[in-house]
Amino acid sequence: MLSALLYAVFYVAPGDVAQITCGPRCSPAQVQQVSDQLRLDDPLYTRYVDFLRGIFVGHDYSTGTGVLHCDAPCLGLSYQTDQQVTELILNKVPVTGSLALGAMVLWLILGVGTGVLSAWRRGRPTERILTAVTLAGTATPVFVIGLILMILVCGQLQWLPFPQYVPFTDDPQQWAWNLLLPWVSLALIEAAKYARLTRASMLETLAEDHVRTFRAYGVKERSIVGRHALRGALAPVIALTANDFGSMFGGALLTETLFGLPGLGRELVHAVRVVDLPVVVGMVMVTGFFVVLANAVADVLYAVADRRVVLS
């Protein structure tokens, strides 16, 4: 369903793809040659069936000088470089995946911890200060935080090098050091959102009957908050994490651009700018896949976090 919708939206969009792909100086004959090569004159449903066939069994493409076989799962060839879209995406996934995983760990630790502390200290100065900080964090764009951190940490203090992606397999230590600043920049913004959500969920859970029963039996407040209330309050946090983590694979544009990370977000914007439709469709499909996968994992984690949830 997602593939059909994407194919219809992008390939029916206005614009002469053959002219854009060939370039502004191409003659009408050259533009027609590109259109024939890309099979743009074929009916839309025919091209869509070929696209689906390529995902499951592979596809053969004409490059003008020969025939290129694209192994399954084949998402097509880039109009600009003739590179396989699947290969292009696989080259970018480690970058965006590293950014998403590291930032997610940080924003969960900071956000959930701040939210729990804010709910536990409700009505006290600690809660008011944390609420003000989270509101400020929610209203601050990620590029502002990133620029400030780069100027201070990399420029004036020189504690860290300016970020430059290093593959984990090449040097794990440099991989972490170069991604630390992007992780912190993205995590600070996201943590504010998670802190507010965790606080609201914790306050709701702390008002439930079973929590009052624990207090009546003399259970310590720290144990009630950490062992019982927190487990019941994690369901909305898990749901939000699943959506954020999945969408991060296609939407970490500002962070990747600011720190010069060659990830999926930057590649998607470049593909949109040059109307490289196979790359756009392939990346949006991959993003949708990660969103579905993350939500499937979240359904399992609901039962782990909250014993009242039973998987059917």
Side-chain angles (χ1 to χ4, degrees), residues 26-36:
C26 287
S27 65
Q30 291 174 316
V31 172
Q32 184 60 44
Q33 182 180 359
V34 172
S35 180
D36 294 339

Side-chain angles (χ1 to χ4, degrees), residues 114 117-133 199:
T114 301
L117 181 60
S118 180
W120 188 14
R121 299 295 183 181
R122 184 183 183 184
R124 301 181 183 181
T126 302
E127 189 259 348
R128 297 188 183 94
I129 293 173
L130 292 177
T131 300
V133 171
R199 176 184 177 276

Side-chain angles (χ1 to χ4, degrees), residues 11 42 64 74 126-127 132 164 195 230 235 244 250 269 275-276 282 292-293 305:
Y11 283 93
D42 291 353
C74 178
T126 302
E127 189 259 348
Q164 183 178 0
L230 180 59
D244 284 349
V269 171
V275 198
D276 199 343
V292 173
L293 178 63

Side-chain angles (χ1 to χ4, degrees), residues 193-253:
K193 178 171 61 177
Y194 281 80
R196 297 184 66 188
L197 178 63
T198 304
R199 176 184 177 276
S201 186
M202 281 289 296
L203 291 176
E204 182 179 348
T205 306
L206 288 172
E208 293 181 356
D209 293 338
H210 71 281
V211 174
R212 288 196 292 267
T213 302
F214 286 135
R215 291 193 178 109
Y217 278 100
V219 179
K220 293 182 179 180
E221 190 69 17
R222 180 176 299 178
S223 178
I224 292 174
V225 171
R227 295 184 57 185
H228 304 288
L230 180 59
R231 291 175 66 95
L234 283 180
V237 175
I238 293 173
L240 183 61
T241 303
N243 286 324
D244 284 349
F245 180 76
S247 60
M248 187 73 67
F249 276 84
L253 169 63

Side-chain angles (χ1 to χ4, degrees), residues 61-174:
Y61 289 93
S62 173
T63 61
T65 58
V67 176
L68 177 64
H69 179 71
C70 180
D71 295 325
C74 178
L75 297 175
L77 298 183
S78 167
Y79 287 166
Q80 301 295 320
T81 64
D82 285 337
Q83 183 180 6
Q84 296 185 23
V85 175
T86 306
E87 179 184 347
L88 188 150
I89 292 175
L90 289 177
N91 290 335
K92 304 296 182 180
V93 163
V95 181
T96 304
S98 299
L99 175 63
L101 283 171
M104 184 185 70
V105 172
L106 286 179
W107 82 50
L108 284 176
I109 293 174
L110 294 173
V112 174
T114 301
V116 171
L117 181 60
S118 180
W120 188 14
R121 299 295 183 181
R122 184 183 183 184
R124 301 181 183 181
T126 302
E127 189 259 348
R128 297 188 183 94
I129 293 173
L130 292 177
T131 300
V133 171
T134 55
L135 284 174
T138 305
T140 306
V142 64
F143 62 85
V144 173
I145 297 292
L147 283 173
I148 293 174
L149 288 177
M150 274 203 296
I151 292 172
L152 291 177
V153 177
C154 301
Q156 295 184 359
L157 300 177
Q158 297 185 354
W159 287 348
L160 291 173
F162 284 96
Q164 183 178 0
Y165 182 74
V166 176
F168 179 82
T169 53
D170 291 351
D171 191 334
Q173 183 177 358
Q174 288 300 316

